[in-house]
Structures are given as structure tokens and as C-alpha cells.
Amino acid sequence: MANHIHRPPYYAGTEFADLSKHDGGLLHAVGASNYQVLRANRSRPEEADGFGNTYNHAPMLTYWRGCFYLEYLSNPVSEHTGAGQSFIVKSKDGMTWDKPRVSFPVIRVPAGEYQCADGTTVEVPEGTFAFMHQRMGFYHTKDDRLIVSGFYGHAPHHDICPWRNYGIGRVVREVFEDGAMGPVYFIRYLDYSGWTEDKLPFPYYKHAADKSFVAACEELLADRFVTEQWTEEHGPADTAIGLKIPKKEDGEGGTAPNTPFESASSFCWYHIDENTVAALWKQGKVGISRDGGVNWDIRYEPTFATSGAKSWGQKTEDGRFAICYDNSLSSEHRYPLVVVTSDDGIEFNDMACVFGELPPRRYEGIYKDFGPQYIRGICEGHKEYPAGAMWICHSINKEDIGVSRIPLPVRRSVDEHIHDTFEGCEDGYVKDWNIYSTKWSPVTLEKVNGETCLKIADQDPCDYARAMRIFPRSAKVSVVLEIMAARYEKDLEIELADKTGVPVCRVSLGGGWLKARYGSNTEKCCKVEPEPVWHTLEIRADCANNVYTVLWDSKVAKRYGFGRPVHKANDVERLILRTKPRRCLPNFEIYPDTPDMKNADEPETQRIYLIRSVSTKSLD
């Protein structure tokens, strides 16, 4: 193995995100698609979680007996405040998700004084609600049972983290295949924070009537890698859990102590071989152990340009390794979500964008940072995993919850021109298309007169649907698509863009017209019949000569001459279909303290577009 195996993981590439662009101006991972699990809705809670909470965060993901399970925590408005609870959501395919169900409910903290082991007295007033804070979600037992976990805490102020003296303890319950869940139990409670069994709102696990469940909890407690995820919340006084990784205030050699806004937390690990284990924490902290987790080399790794948004690493189905993180040093601007890959689990390269959207934050709230964040995947050591792709989950703006599917092997380009119909997508995944699909702007497959088509819909007042197809990088290319749509006043935008996302050609369909953008102007090319029938749109781009031609049903609708593309580029590689204009806001100049958006909770009249085929060919 290469000499660099003796150091922790690092990024050897030279590409980094430009935060003035939501996708960082990066190459995209071919086929990486994003699906919304939850769209928060305050005034129409029946459309979301049934409660109307608008702070939703810290999702955890697993795959068990052929289904995805996702847990996330939720507060009414802000971080570390309010009547918090956790939800669990189930999906067969990762694209369509059931309604959230409460996994750990709202509880009140008994009023009174709590005497802590360090001599501190914590006074809890009447009416204090607890809230959830969980660094670990699911555990699979050796006999294939599924346990879901969470952590209850409280705090007198949102700047105080709900652990150590303000922690209550960790709860667990069993998840059954039919969606039901067993009783809630505490698996650890913080006695050094003044908690005793008689104060707990749920019983201690050792009192469970089901002794096999007690044995499952004991198995979980004995797994030091799993419980290392707990150490931040439980604190150093709990010596029965974790790997005993050293904690240091500054410098190298350990992770930071459990203090608010700590410089390293959220342990993630993957095995390179039986004895070699790599670890990731927040804030670019990385580690390597060559003796199965006993001794560690831990350091800050500046090549992983990230902040407090969590990083996720794993060995992938193709025998390689991948790390996903937000490539931003600003903890308030957590985008874009990228993946880097490695052959040996140490040297990572080939940065690719996975989630390159930054939808507007609809609801005000404390510490609701911009972007897809708190990235988690499916832990190692399980019996089964979804085939053909790496799956991760994240919150978006700390109000919506989503998952991303990254096909394996991870690619950043395609070699052959495309001839896509959608007949071969029996599993529902649109092969090689980069999909951005939300609850109110879904991108799906649908049968139309016996033919499978790509369906792009939109009724979201704040967000859009997007489907992108990467094709071979070409200076002179023809892109043809068959499209059907009724007449809508709002536009569907169709772009050809270069490798950094710069739009070179833009055609729009709306208001009864086919329109084309040239320079700073948009011109009507030809009228479009209001009846929804199939049309053929062709865009011929000649980047060297600054020319592009638009053909509608094989007739030249408009040809723009020298100096008339939207932007100058050497070549193009992306076809982008988007139900609203591309967005530049919010950006890294805007701090995330924006107010509530108006009319965010009411859907608009739905628009639907169907795509039957897409093809490209070189014109050189």
C-alpha cells in the first residue's frame, strides 16, 4: 500500500467550490439525484409532519429489509429551543416517502434543581420542554433487528448545547417491518447531570419485559464505534461508551472537548481493512487508526475545506471509497454538497457536485444556516445495502429534509453521445440524469399512451424542478428533445451549459410562445399551439463561432449570429430543463437571518411537462 496510508485521509485535488455559484462551478457527479423527504409547512401541517414545525434537521439514514428509513429531529421554529421531537420516515425506493411518524415525542422536563457531578446546580423552571439532539440514529443487531435512537436534552438559551449538565439521556425503541414501533426506553441517562430513574419520562431499558430487546440494547452498548457517536452528548464522565479518543483544547492529537461550537464533533468512520480505520469529524478534523481503533493519529486537514456541516465517508459497492461534505469554510453557507473519491481510502480526488441547489429559506429561525447539511449515509456492517448507488441524507436550510442518490462508480463526464428514451428505467431511477425533485416540484417517470416519459411538474411558489443530462463535452453539437406541454404563462427554461454551469444557449416555453435568449434580450421565435401535443425542439450550438440555431418541429425558428449566445464558452456539456429561472440568491454575501417568505405554504396551479426522448450528436 502507498506510503500515504500512514497519514489520515486528505484531498489531493486542486478544485474547490466558488460560493458565488450554488453548485460551486464544479463538475457534477453523473446521475446524482436529489429527492425531498419533507417540505416543511407551518400553516398547512397536513402537507408535512402534522405539527407545522419549521426547524427540521440532523437526519440519519439506514436501509433494512428492502426499505429506507430516515430519522430527523424537529423543533417548532429554531435550534435548541421549543418542544422538540424526532420523526421517522420510510420509503421503498428513496424517491417517494411516507408521512413522518413520531419516533420520540415531546416531553416536559420536571421542574426543580438538578445537582451535577461537577458541583453545578441546574435549575429547571416549570413548563420547560426538552428537545432532541442526536448524533446517531439507527442500529442493526446481529439477529437483524432495527433499533432507532435519539437524545433528549434541554437548555435555558439557544447558545447552550443540550448535553453534559443539560443532557437528560439517550432513548431507544425497536422498529418493526410493518412500520410499528416498540415502547420508548432510556438506554443511558446522565446521572452525573442529576438524573435518576424516578425522574425519567420513560423506563430504563433493563426493565423491559422483552428480554431479547434488553440483549439487543446490551449489544448496542458494547459496540464502541457506534457509541463513539454519543460521546459529544454524553460527555467524558460516561466511561462505558466510545473509543476513548483523546480530547484536547488545541493543536493536533485529539478532538476538541464537548463545548458549544466545538471544533470537532460528529464522529464518522469507515474501515479500510480489518485493522485500519479512518475517521472524520466536523471542521475538517480527520484521523487514522492502524490497530482497530485503539490508538489514533488525529489532525486538522486543511485540504478538506469544510466547516460545521458534518462529513460522511464510506467504502462503496465498487470497492472504492467516497467522502461527502459541504465544500465551504463558512458554517453559515453550507453548500455545495460534493463527493470526492479514492482507491485506497486515504488520498481523495475528483471533486464532483452532488447537490448544487440552494433554494430560498422560507422560514426565519435561529441558526438556520443555508444549504444542504449534516450529511449522513448508511453505516457499514449491515446485512444489505441498496444496489448500484451511494445514498446520503441531509437537511436543507435546516427546514426541509432530503436524500441524494449517487450512482456508482462516481463519474464526472460521459464519453458517448446520448440517445435517451425512458423505457429502460423500470426501477424508477432516471439513468444518468441529474434530478432535483421536491414534494411540490416532482420529477418522475410516467406512462403516456404506453410510452414511458420523463415528467417534470411544478406547483411550488418558492422552488423549482430541474432535470439535467450531461453529454460529451462539445464545441459544436445538436441537442434534440421531444416535448409535450399545455399552455402555461410561466416558462419552462431549457439551457445548454458548459462544465462550470455557465449558460450558453437558453430557450423557454411559456405564454404560448417559444422564446430564445440572446445576449441580454429574449425574443419570441414562434407561436406554440395550446393543445398538449408532441413537439420536437432542436438546439444547434457552435461555440467557436458564437452561433446557435433553434428548430421547432424541424423548422428553423431562430438563428442567432456572431456575439449572440447568452455567454461565451469553449464548449457545452449539459442540457438543463428547469421550471423557473435559474437563481443566484441567497449567496455567500447574505447572512442567514432572512424573514419568513410570504405565501410559501400554498401551492400554485400545477404545470406539467413531458419529455419522450433526448439525443445529442457532434456537428464537427
Side-chain angles (χ1 to χ4, degrees), residues 157-230:
H157 190 272
H158 60 258
D159 277 345
I160 297 177
C161 293
W163 53 68
R164 283 196 171 183
N165 290 347
Y166 295 98
I168 300 172
R170 186 163 302 275
V171 282
V172 292
R173 66 192 306 187
E174 186 167 4
V175 180
F176 301 107
E177 199 166 357
D178 63 359
M181 288 177 278
V184 178
Y185 294 94
F186 273 86
I187 192 170
R188 303 292 281 184
Y189 60 89
L190 275 58
D191 53 358
Y192 42 86
S193 298
W195 285 88
T196 54
E197 280 194 46
D198 61 296
K199 294 179 180 178
L200 297 176
F202 306 109
Y204 191 43
Y205 80 97
K206 289 186 176 181
H207 302 310
D210 181 356
K211 298 309 175 186
S212 65
F213 176 77
V214 175
C217 291
E218 299 285 358
E219 179 188 323
L220 166 55
L221 286 166
D223 192 324
R224 291 282 185 163
F225 280 101
V226 172
T227 59
E228 176 61 28
Q229 299 172 99
W230 301 2

Side-chain angles (χ1 to χ4, degrees), residues 381-508:
H382 298 170
K383 285 188 175 181
E384 57 179 331
Y385 293 85
M390 174 184 179
W391 287 81
I392 56 173
C393 63
H394 38 76
S395 71
I396 300 95
N397 301 331
K398 296 191 183 181
E399 63 188 23
D400 300 328
I401 303 295
V403 295
S404 297
R405 179 181 184 268
I406 310 168
L408 298 171
V410 178
R411 297 176 293 148
R412 303 196 300 167
S413 63
V414 299
D415 298 324
E416 297 181 355
H417 277 283
I418 62 176
H419 304 279
D420 288 350
T421 63
F422 303 98
E423 297 296 337
C425 303
E426 293 84 1
D427 56 6
Y429 307 121
V430 188
K431 184 180 179 181
D432 291 338
W433 282 72
N434 292 61
I435 300 299
Y436 176 69
S437 179
T438 73
K439 289 289 188 179
W440 284 2
S441 298
V443 180
T444 56
L445 294 170
E446 185 168 300
K447 286 279 188 181
V448 178
N449 297 325
E451 294 181 295
T452 303
C453 300
L454 183 67
K455 178 182 177 182
I456 305 172
D458 188 358
Q459 60 178 355
D460 197 314
C462 307
D463 209 346
Y464 54 55
R466 190 216 69 211
M468 181 174 77
R469 183 59 158 103
I470 298 172
F471 54 85
R473 203 165 296 160
S474 306
K476 195 173 184 181
V477 68
S478 166
V479 178
V480 180
L481 60 152
E482 291 183 285
I483 185 169
M484 179 192 291
R487 173 171 174 159
Y488 304 111
E489 292 307 310
K490 291 188 175 181
D491 288 347
L492 173 74
E493 292 196 347
I494 304 165
E495 291 180 345
L496 302 186
D498 78 350
K499 64 181 181 180
T500 65
V502 169
V504 176
C505 311
R506 180 183 297 156
V507 176
S508 55

Side-chain angles (χ1 to χ4, degrees), residues 11 55 81 106 151 272 301 311 343 347-348 407 443 447 477 501 553 555 559 584:
Y11 173 58
Y55 178 91
T81 59
V106 173
F151 184 87
I272 295 173
E301 180 50 64
S311 299
D343 290 324
E347 181 182 303
F348 287 81
V443 180
K447 286 279 188 181
V477 68
D553 292 333
K555 297 179 181 179
R559 181 177 187 274
C584 301

Side-chain angles (χ1 to χ4, degrees), residues 316-372:
T316 50
E317 180 187 80
D318 57 353
R320 304 185 76 228
F321 299 85
I323 293 177
C324 291
Y325 60 101
D326 286 326
N327 188 216
S328 168
L329 292 172
S330 167
S331 203
E332 293 77 23
H333 300 88
R334 299 176 172 185
Y335 67 91
L337 196 166
V338 304
V339 62
V340 292
T341 52
S342 171
D343 290 324
D344 59 19
I346 299 296
E347 181 182 303
F348 287 81
N349 213 321
D350 295 333
M351 183 180 290
C353 180
V354 171
F355 190 110
E357 297 292 342
L358 188 57
R361 198 186 72 176
R362 303 186 302 280
Y363 306 101
E364 186 177 10
I366 297 168
Y367 297 139
K368 290 184 63 177
D369 305 307
F370 291 143

